[in-house]
Amino acid sequence: MTGSVRTRFAPSPTGELHIGGLRTALFGWAFVQANGGQFVLRIEDTDQSRYVEGSVENIYEGLRWLGIEWDEGPDVGGPHGPYVQSERLEKYHAVADELRACGRAYRCFCTAERLAQLRKDQQRDGLAPGYDGRCRGLDPVEAEERARTEPSVLRFRMDRTGTTTFPDLIRGDVTFQNSLQDDFVLLKTDGYPTYHLAMLVDDHDMEITHVIRGEEWLASGPRHLQLYEAMDWQPPRFAHLPVLVDRDGRKLSKRSGDVAALDYRDNGYLPEATLNFLAFLGWSLDDHTTHITPEELTRVFSLDRVVSNPAFFDVERLDALNGHYIRSLDPAAWRNLVADWLDRGLPADIPRPLDADLVTAAAPLLQERVARLDEVAGLSRFLFADLPDYPPELLTERIKGDTELAARTLDAAIDAVEAVSPEAWAPEPVEAALRSLQDTLDLKLRKFVSVLYVAIMGAPRGIPLFDSVALLGRDEALTRLRSARAKLA
RNA sequence: GGCGCGUUCGUCUAGAGGCCUAGGACACCGCCCUUUCAAGGCGGAGAUCGCGGGUUCGAAUCCCGCACGCGCUACCA
């Protein structure tokens, strides 16, 4: 099948791109790359009422963030355009007419109220909800006449005998009883097609060979299969991806946390980490691979290694992966990221532009200590601004409230730092001076160093101390040390 | 309610009858390293493979039943 594969990602512009949608897109894209073929982006905007301004741009941005490119789509064009469903209405109507002409579709005049009541009654009686077929037997000619003055929808006449079986690339053969199917809507009152019709027409026109979509579509498989059959079109192959679930085992939704793809970017996740994370949600390469690059993914991805059970969207794992990728960044790239995140994360009252040399010096101290980019500002704020006031108890938090030790430590530290002349101020002498406290106090550094962390950065832990003191400068370091000492007086 | 799909360490998964006294990763615990915190190195604990029956010399792997979970059940996609 090399070279002949065509798949598509077909989101609806109803808001921000969902992280689950991004994962679906990733799998489709990786599948196409691995097999040779084209990846199509199609916008499914057939529900006018749910359209949200800016959605399409958000979709583009989300996909591009991960490096997913499409060969055909609304913005890049292609031989099967247009790629926006609202611009393809005639195509759907043409197929609808054909279906109506051959008797596989019929006008339905049932009102929304009647349908709602019907559903209620069916549920009350323990029956399977579904259209009861009231308009099924209407005379086609009369129905056309009525349709001129009365609102109507077009319904597909399902074959209700036997079963429908189709092979799912991930689950194997799936079988449904046709007697349980109902005549679903093809064309709505407003003349727009439903998903089922639009998808059928577009996938056929666009020569899609593999439909890779979420599991929530599995149950509508029989509808699609019968539709293909009615048109005498070759159906594509289907692959229904397992759903993404939250900690409670429910489909990932707003209440599960961040669901917008770009929220992850904005919260400090690297695209390579996010891609890596998403790739292993329901798919695996072998029994040990946990890290993968986009290049490798597009080489080795295959649908038969997608599992059929739900995948837990575990942010902890994403964090671990993100930390891994942050550490593997080369110094220059990391430095630039730090600069960006400092700029947007530090309080506005700190003058901009930030001291570039200071940023450069701080970057390496942060690289091994953050899992997300949004932690950068908090950890290095003390280098750019005065320390906020903190309670004296913080100084002794890690030394069991030993105020006397804290006082001795600070006194010794002040002396040691003062002993380093302004001319000699540099990381090495500062480190030597601070290390000498071990002898002065006759204690291991680890026994008292937390006091200095608090004095210098306002927290008992943070980025490396010696470099921080050196970066702060002699005067500022001394000021902080003295201020801490004063708190103990 | 009906239909569909699913069920292996806490989590994501490997596993397609004997290679499994079930492997990897994250998380967890311990040790080492150490300038706090991390990172890194080493090691540990952790699943009788949802339950119950079969088939077989042999089952996590095949079959049946049950339970539980999720999905669908719209003129939304």
Side-chain angles (χ1 to χ4, degrees), chain A residues 129-163:
Chain A
Y131 182 59
D132 61 358
R134 180 195 276 217
C135 297
R136 226 184 191 212
L138 255 35
D139 178 77
V141 180
E142 282 172 28
E144 279 321 289
E145 193 58 39
R146 268 178 81 183
R148 263 191 256 277
T149 54
E150 241 180 279
S152 68
V153 300
L154 191 70
R155 283 184 188 275
F156 183 69
R157 191 185 301 274
M158 284 292 277
D159 177 358
R160 313 243 261 162
T161 62
T163 59

mmCIF file of all heavy atoms in Angstrom, chain A residues 129-163:
data_model
loop_
_atom_site.group_PDB
_atom_site.id
_atom_site.type_symbol
_atom_site.label_atom_id
_atom_site.label_comp_id
_atom_site.label_asym_id
_atom_site.label_seq_id
_atom_site.Cartn_x
_atom_site.Cartn_y
_atom_site.Cartn_z
ATOM 1 N N PRO A 129 -34.201 4.029 21.903
ATOM 2 C CA PRO A 129 -34.628 5.263 21.281
ATOM 3 C C PRO A 129 -34.215 5.305 19.815
ATOM 4 O O PRO A 129 -33.164 4.785 19.451
ATOM 5 C CB PRO A 129 -33.925 6.343 22.105
ATOM 6 C CG PRO A 129 -32.810 5.660 22.787
ATOM 7 C CD PRO A 129 -33.157 4.216 22.892
ATOM 8 N N GLY A 130 -35.037 5.892 19.014
ATOM 9 C CA GLY A 130 -34.699 5.983 17.605
ATOM 10 C C GLY A 130 -35.918 6.413 16.813
ATOM 11 O O GLY A 130 -37.055 6.326 17.301
ATOM 12 N N TYR A 131 -35.678 6.868 15.623
ATOM 13 C CA TYR A 131 -36.784 7.338 14.798
ATOM 14 C C TYR A 131 -37.710 6.173 14.464
ATOM 15 O O TYR A 131 -37.264 5.080 14.103
ATOM 16 C CB TYR A 131 -36.234 7.969 13.521
ATOM 17 C CG TYR A 131 -37.331 8.527 12.648
ATOM 18 C CD1 TYR A 131 -38.184 9.505 13.155
ATOM 19 C CD2 TYR A 131 -37.532 8.075 11.353
ATOM 20 C CE1 TYR A 131 -39.213 10.022 12.378
ATOM 21 C CE2 TYR A 131 -38.543 8.591 10.570
ATOM 22 C CZ TYR A 131 -39.397 9.559 11.089
ATOM 23 O OH TYR A 131 -40.413 10.059 10.318
ATOM 24 N N ASP A 132 -39.015 6.404 14.592
ATOM 25 C CA ASP A 132 -39.978 5.324 14.404
ATOM 26 C C ASP A 132 -40.402 5.104 12.956
ATOM 27 O O ASP A 132 -41.196 4.220 12.665
ATOM 28 C CB ASP A 132 -41.208 5.551 15.278
ATOM 29 C CG ASP A 132 -41.914 6.860 14.933
ATOM 30 O OD1 ASP A 132 -41.409 7.588 14.044
ATOM 31 O OD2 ASP A 132 -42.950 7.150 15.538
ATOM 32 N N GLY A 133 -39.888 5.938 12.064
ATOM 33 C CA GLY A 133 -40.181 5.704 10.654
ATOM 34 C C GLY A 133 -41.534 6.188 10.183
ATOM 35 O O GLY A 133 -42.043 5.725 9.158
ATOM 36 N N ARG A 134 -42.104 7.128 10.898
ATOM 37 C CA ARG A 134 -43.433 7.601 10.533
ATOM 38 C C ARG A 134 -43.523 8.110 9.095
ATOM 39 O O ARG A 134 -44.500 7.836 8.395
ATOM 40 C CB ARG A 134 -43.884 8.726 11.472
ATOM 41 C CG ARG A 134 -45.272 9.207 11.080
ATOM 42 C CD ARG A 134 -45.605 10.526 11.727
ATOM 43 N NE ARG A 134 -46.113 10.310 13.060
ATOM 44 C CZ ARG A 134 -47.099 11.030 13.618
ATOM 45 N NH1 ARG A 134 -47.673 11.976 12.950
ATOM 46 N NH2 ARG A 134 -47.475 10.809 14.845
ATOM 47 N N CYS A 135 -42.529 8.837 8.651
ATOM 48 C CA CYS A 135 -42.583 9.404 7.297
ATOM 49 C C CYS A 135 -41.995 8.478 6.229
ATOM 50 O O CYS A 135 -41.900 8.848 5.056
ATOM 51 C CB CYS A 135 -41.837 10.738 7.260
ATOM 52 S SG CYS A 135 -42.569 11.991 8.328
ATOM 53 N N ARG A 136 -41.622 7.306 6.659
ATOM 54 C CA ARG A 136 -40.989 6.363 5.744
ATOM 55 C C ARG A 136 -41.854 6.030 4.531
ATOM 56 O O ARG A 136 -41.365 5.888 3.414
ATOM 57 C CB ARG A 136 -40.687 5.066 6.505
ATOM 58 C CG ARG A 136 -39.299 4.554 6.243
ATOM 59 C CD ARG A 136 -39.047 3.222 6.927
ATOM 60 N NE ARG A 136 -37.620 2.927 6.834
ATOM 61 C CZ ARG A 136 -37.120 1.697 6.748
ATOM 62 N NH1 ARG A 136 -37.913 0.673 6.803
ATOM 63 N NH2 ARG A 136 -35.813 1.540 6.635
ATOM 64 N N GLY A 137 -43.138 5.881 4.804
ATOM 65 C CA GLY A 137 -44.025 5.427 3.726
ATOM 66 C C GLY A 137 -44.704 6.533 2.935
ATOM 67 O O GLY A 137 -45.565 6.269 2.106
ATOM 68 N N LEU A 138 -44.326 7.774 3.211
ATOM 69 C CA LEU A 138 -44.930 8.887 2.483
ATOM 70 C C LEU A 138 -44.693 8.758 0.981
ATOM 71 O O LEU A 138 -43.629 8.338 0.549
ATOM 72 C CB LEU A 138 -44.315 10.202 2.991
ATOM 73 C CG LEU A 138 -45.127 11.106 3.914
ATOM 74 C CD1 LEU A 138 -46.024 10.301 4.866
ATOM 75 C CD2 LEU A 138 -44.196 11.991 4.733
ATOM 76 N N ASP A 139 -45.676 9.162 0.220
ATOM 77 C CA ASP A 139 -45.523 9.133 -1.232
ATOM 78 C C ASP A 139 -44.461 10.157 -1.627
ATOM 79 O O ASP A 139 -44.557 11.337 -1.257
ATOM 80 C CB ASP A 139 -46.851 9.491 -1.903
ATOM 81 C CG ASP A 139 -46.707 9.511 -3.411
ATOM 82 O OD1 ASP A 139 -46.668 8.418 -4.006
ATOM 83 O OD2 ASP A 139 -46.557 10.630 -3.978
ATOM 84 N N PRO A 140 -43.454 9.753 -2.339
ATOM 85 C CA PRO A 140 -42.326 10.634 -2.675
ATOM 86 C C PRO A 140 -42.766 11.891 -3.425
ATOM 87 O O PRO A 140 -42.255 12.980 -3.162
ATOM 88 C CB PRO A 140 -41.434 9.763 -3.565
ATOM 89 C CG PRO A 140 -41.823 8.361 -3.246
ATOM 90 C CD PRO A 140 -43.270 8.389 -2.874
ATOM 91 N N VAL A 141 -43.688 11.746 -4.317
ATOM 92 C CA VAL A 141 -44.118 12.904 -5.105
ATOM 93 C C VAL A 141 -44.853 13.901 -4.221
ATOM 94 O O VAL A 141 -44.572 15.101 -4.235
ATOM 95 C CB VAL A 141 -45.036 12.451 -6.268
ATOM 96 C CG1 VAL A 141 -45.486 13.668 -7.085
ATOM 97 C CG2 VAL A 141 -44.312 11.439 -7.146
ATOM 98 N N GLU A 142 -45.753 13.379 -3.399
ATOM 99 C CA GLU A 142 -46.484 14.253 -2.479
ATOM 100 C C GLU A 142 -45.529 14.916 -1.492
ATOM 101 O O GLU A 142 -45.675 16.094 -1.160
ATOM 102 C CB GLU A 142 -47.532 13.451 -1.684
ATOM 103 C CG GLU A 142 -48.793 13.142 -2.469
ATOM 104 C CD GLU A 142 -49.709 12.192 -1.700
ATOM 105 O OE1 GLU A 142 -49.664 12.202 -0.455
ATOM 106 O OE2 GLU A 142 -50.437 11.418 -2.355
ATOM 107 N N ALA A 143 -44.575 14.135 -1.049
ATOM 108 C CA ALA A 143 -43.614 14.656 -0.079
ATOM 109 C C ALA A 143 -42.829 15.820 -0.672
ATOM 110 O O ALA A 143 -42.610 16.839 -0.016
ATOM 111 C CB ALA A 143 -42.662 13.548 0.370
ATOM 112 N N GLU A 144 -42.451 15.705 -1.919
ATOM 113 C CA GLU A 144 -41.722 16.791 -2.586
ATOM 114 C C GLU A 144 -42.598 18.033 -2.648
ATOM 115 O O GLU A 144 -42.121 19.154 -2.457
ATOM 116 C CB GLU A 144 -41.334 16.375 -4.003
ATOM 117 C CG GLU A 144 -40.088 15.515 -4.082
ATOM 118 C CD GLU A 144 -39.010 15.958 -3.102
ATOM 119 O OE1 GLU A 144 -38.403 17.027 -3.300
ATOM 120 O OE2 GLU A 144 -38.777 15.229 -2.130
ATOM 121 N N GLU A 145 -43.851 17.809 -2.890
ATOM 122 C CA GLU A 145 -44.808 18.912 -2.968
ATOM 123 C C GLU A 145 -44.878 19.632 -1.620
ATOM 124 O O GLU A 145 -44.742 20.847 -1.537
ATOM 125 C CB GLU A 145 -46.192 18.352 -3.348
ATOM 126 C CG GLU A 145 -47.194 19.401 -3.771
ATOM 127 C CD GLU A 145 -46.689 20.212 -4.968
ATOM 128 O OE1 GLU A 145 -46.054 19.608 -5.899
ATOM 129 O OE2 GLU A 145 -46.897 21.431 -4.975
ATOM 130 N N ARG A 146 -45.029 18.829 -0.568
ATOM 131 C CA ARG A 146 -45.118 19.391 0.786
ATOM 132 C C ARG A 146 -43.837 20.146 1.163
ATOM 133 O O ARG A 146 -43.884 21.174 1.840
ATOM 134 C CB ARG A 146 -45.305 18.263 1.808
ATOM 135 C CG ARG A 146 -46.742 17.947 2.135
ATOM 136 C CD ARG A 146 -46.806 16.790 3.121
ATOM 137 N NE ARG A 146 -46.575 17.216 4.506
ATOM 138 C CZ ARG A 146 -46.532 16.360 5.537
ATOM 139 N NH1 ARG A 146 -46.702 15.064 5.346
ATOM 140 N NH2 ARG A 146 -46.321 16.799 6.775
ATOM 141 N N ALA A 147 -42.720 19.588 0.723
ATOM 142 C CA ALA A 147 -41.421 20.149 1.095
ATOM 143 C C ALA A 147 -41.246 21.577 0.590
ATOM 144 O O ALA A 147 -40.396 22.324 1.065
ATOM 145 C CB ALA A 147 -40.312 19.260 0.572
ATOM 146 N N ARG A 148 -42.041 21.943 -0.406
ATOM 147 C CA ARG A 148 -41.956 23.305 -0.946
ATOM 148 C C ARG A 148 -42.391 24.340 0.073
ATOM 149 O O ARG A 148 -41.913 25.459 0.072
ATOM 150 C CB ARG A 148 -42.837 23.411 -2.199
ATOM 151 C CG ARG A 148 -42.053 23.247 -3.480
ATOM 152 C CD ARG A 148 -42.915 23.634 -4.662
ATOM 153 N NE ARG A 148 -43.389 22.435 -5.374
ATOM 154 C CZ ARG A 148 -42.644 21.801 -6.276
ATOM 155 N NH1 ARG A 148 -41.439 22.208 -6.555
ATOM 156 N NH2 ARG A 148 -43.116 20.733 -6.881
ATOM 157 N N THR A 149 -43.341 23.964 0.911
ATOM 158 C CA THR A 149 -43.889 24.925 1.862
ATOM 159 C C THR A 149 -43.628 24.568 3.318
ATOM 160 O O THR A 149 -43.797 25.381 4.206
ATOM 161 C CB THR A 149 -45.421 25.030 1.686
ATOM 162 O OG1 THR A 149 -45.979 23.711 1.786
ATOM 163 C CG2 THR A 149 -45.767 25.623 0.344
ATOM 164 N N GLU A 150 -43.244 23.318 3.535
ATOM 165 C CA GLU A 150 -43.078 22.850 4.908
ATOM 166 C C GLU A 150 -41.622 22.502 5.176
ATOM 167 O O GLU A 150 -40.959 21.951 4.305
ATOM 168 C CB GLU A 150 -43.897 21.561 5.072
ATOM 169 C CG GLU A 150 -45.003 21.623 6.099
ATOM 170 C CD GLU A 150 -45.727 20.307 6.155
ATOM 171 O OE1 GLU A 150 -46.596 20.064 5.284
ATOM 172 O OE2 GLU A 150 -45.404 19.491 7.037
ATOM 173 N N PRO A 151 -41.126 22.814 6.378
ATOM 174 C CA PRO A 151 -39.752 22.404 6.694
ATOM 175 C C PRO A 151 -39.656 20.888 6.768
ATOM 176 O O PRO A 151 -40.586 20.217 7.234
ATOM 177 C CB PRO A 151 -39.487 23.036 8.053
ATOM 178 C CG PRO A 151 -40.813 23.383 8.612
ATOM 179 C CD PRO A 151 -41.773 23.544 7.477
ATOM 180 N N SER A 152 -38.539 20.377 6.282
ATOM 181 C CA SER A 152 -38.361 18.923 6.332
ATOM 182 C C SER A 152 -36.890 18.571 6.410
ATOM 183 O O SER A 152 -36.030 19.405 6.135
ATOM 184 C CB SER A 152 -38.961 18.293 5.073
ATOM 185 O OG SER A 152 -38.193 18.671 3.946
ATOM 186 N N VAL A 153 -36.634 17.356 6.790
ATOM 187 C CA VAL A 153 -35.252 16.847 6.751
ATOM 188 C C VAL A 153 -35.247 15.672 5.797
ATOM 189 O O VAL A 153 -36.300 15.172 5.409
ATOM 190 C CB VAL A 153 -34.773 16.363 8.146
ATOM 191 C CG1 VAL A 153 -34.804 17.497 9.158
ATOM 192 C CG2 VAL A 153 -35.572 15.166 8.624
ATOM 193 N N LEU A 154 -34.065 15.262 5.426
ATOM 194 C CA LEU A 154 -33.957 14.085 4.570
ATOM 195 C C LEU A 154 -33.377 12.963 5.417
ATOM 196 O O LEU A 154 -32.356 13.144 6.079
ATOM 197 C CB LEU A 154 -33.037 14.375 3.382
ATOM 198 C CG LEU A 154 -33.064 13.309 2.287
ATOM 199 C CD1 LEU A 154 -34.396 13.331 1.540
ATOM 200 C CD2 LEU A 154 -31.916 13.495 1.307
ATOM 201 N N ARG A 155 -34.041 11.841 5.410
ATOM 202 C CA ARG A 155 -33.562 10.704 6.188
ATOM 203 C C ARG A 155 -33.093 9.576 5.294
ATOM 204 O O ARG A 155 -33.594 9.385 4.192
ATOM 205 C CB ARG A 155 -34.676 10.168 7.102
ATOM 206 C CG ARG A 155 -34.915 10.994 8.337
ATOM 207 C CD ARG A 155 -35.952 10.358 9.238
ATOM 208 N NE ARG A 155 -36.309 11.256 10.325
ATOM 209 C CZ ARG A 155 -35.628 11.350 11.469
ATOM 210 N NH1 ARG A 155 -34.584 10.576 11.673
ATOM 211 N NH2 ARG A 155 -35.997 12.211 12.395
ATOM 212 N N PHE A 156 -32.141 8.825 5.803
ATOM 213 C CA PHE A 156 -31.625 7.670 5.072
ATOM 214 C C PHE A 156 -32.438 6.443 5.465
ATOM 215 O O PHE A 156 -32.700 6.218 6.647
ATOM 216 C CB PHE A 156 -30.158 7.446 5.416
ATOM 217 C CG PHE A 156 -29.536 6.302 4.648
ATOM 218 C CD1 PHE A 156 -29.321 6.410 3.273
ATOM 219 C CD2 PHE A 156 -29.174 5.122 5.293
ATOM 220 C CE1 PHE A 156 -28.750 5.356 2.567
ATOM 221 C CE2 PHE A 156 -28.603 4.071 4.581
ATOM 222 C CZ PHE A 156 -28.391 4.186 3.214
ATOM 223 N N ARG A 157 -32.825 5.687 4.478
ATOM 224 C CA ARG A 157 -33.609 4.481 4.729
ATOM 225 C C ARG A 157 -32.640 3.320 5.024
ATOM 226 O O ARG A 157 -32.039 2.769 4.114
ATOM 227 C CB ARG A 157 -34.448 4.172 3.484
ATOM 228 C CG ARG A 157 -35.511 3.103 3.664
ATOM 229 C CD ARG A 157 -36.192 2.785 2.340
ATOM 230 N NE ARG A 157 -36.840 3.940 1.710
ATOM 231 C CZ ARG A 157 -38.092 4.337 1.987
ATOM 232 N NH1 ARG A 157 -38.827 3.657 2.838
ATOM 233 N NH2 ARG A 157 -38.595 5.401 1.391
ATOM 234 N N MET A 158 -32.490 3.016 6.303
ATOM 235 C CA MET A 158 -31.574 1.937 6.677
ATOM 236 C C MET A 158 -32.179 0.576 6.354
ATOM 237 O O MET A 158 -33.377 0.368 6.518
ATOM 238 C CB MET A 158 -31.280 1.984 8.180
ATOM 239 C CG MET A 158 -30.312 3.079 8.612
ATOM 240 S SD MET A 158 -28.615 2.864 8.048
ATOM 241 C CE MET A 158 -27.953 1.728 9.278
ATOM 242 N N ASP A 159 -31.326 -0.298 5.941
ATOM 243 C CA ASP A 159 -31.749 -1.684 5.766
ATOM 244 C C ASP A 159 -31.779 -2.276 7.166
ATOM 245 O O ASP A 159 -30.756 -2.320 7.841
ATOM 246 C CB ASP A 159 -30.724 -2.424 4.894
ATOM 247 C CG ASP A 159 -31.077 -3.896 4.750
ATOM 248 O OD1 ASP A 159 -32.088 -4.333 5.352
ATOM 249 O OD2 ASP A 159 -30.338 -4.595 4.040
ATOM 250 N N ARG A 160 -32.960 -2.701 7.593
ATOM 251 C CA ARG A 160 -33.084 -3.164 8.971
ATOM 252 C C ARG A 160 -33.053 -4.678 9.089
ATOM 253 O O ARG A 160 -33.454 -5.236 10.113
ATOM 254 C CB ARG A 160 -34.372 -2.630 9.580
ATOM 255 C CG ARG A 160 -34.555 -1.129 9.316
ATOM 256 C CD ARG A 160 -34.559 -0.356 10.591
ATOM 257 N NE ARG A 160 -35.906 -0.043 11.015
ATOM 258 C CZ ARG A 160 -36.218 0.326 12.247
ATOM 259 N NH1 ARG A 160 -35.274 0.368 13.163
ATOM 260 N NH2 ARG A 160 -37.444 0.623 12.571
ATOM 261 N N THR A 161 -32.583 -5.334 8.066
ATOM 262 C CA THR A 161 -32.506 -6.798 8.144
ATOM 263 C C THR A 161 -31.046 -7.242 8.252
ATOM 264 O O THR A 161 -30.138 -6.568 7.754
ATOM 265 C CB THR A 161 -33.108 -7.448 6.884
ATOM 266 O OG1 THR A 161 -32.329 -7.037 5.754
ATOM 267 C CG2 THR A 161 -34.548 -7.014 6.698
ATOM 268 N N GLY A 162 -30.863 -8.339 8.907
ATOM 269 C CA GLY A 162 -29.524 -8.914 8.988
ATOM 270 C C GLY A 162 -28.578 -8.112 9.886
ATOM 271 O O GLY A 162 -29.006 -7.413 10.795
ATOM 272 N N THR A 163 -27.308 -8.219 9.598
ATOM 273 C CA THR A 163 -26.301 -7.545 10.402
ATOM 274 C C THR A 163 -25.316 -6.797 9.505
ATOM 275 O O THR A 163 -25.240 -7.073 8.310
ATOM 276 C CB THR A 163 -25.473 -8.554 11.229
ATOM 277 O OG1 THR A 163 -24.838 -9.475 10.328
ATOM 278 C CG2 THR A 163 -26.350 -9.333 12.201
#
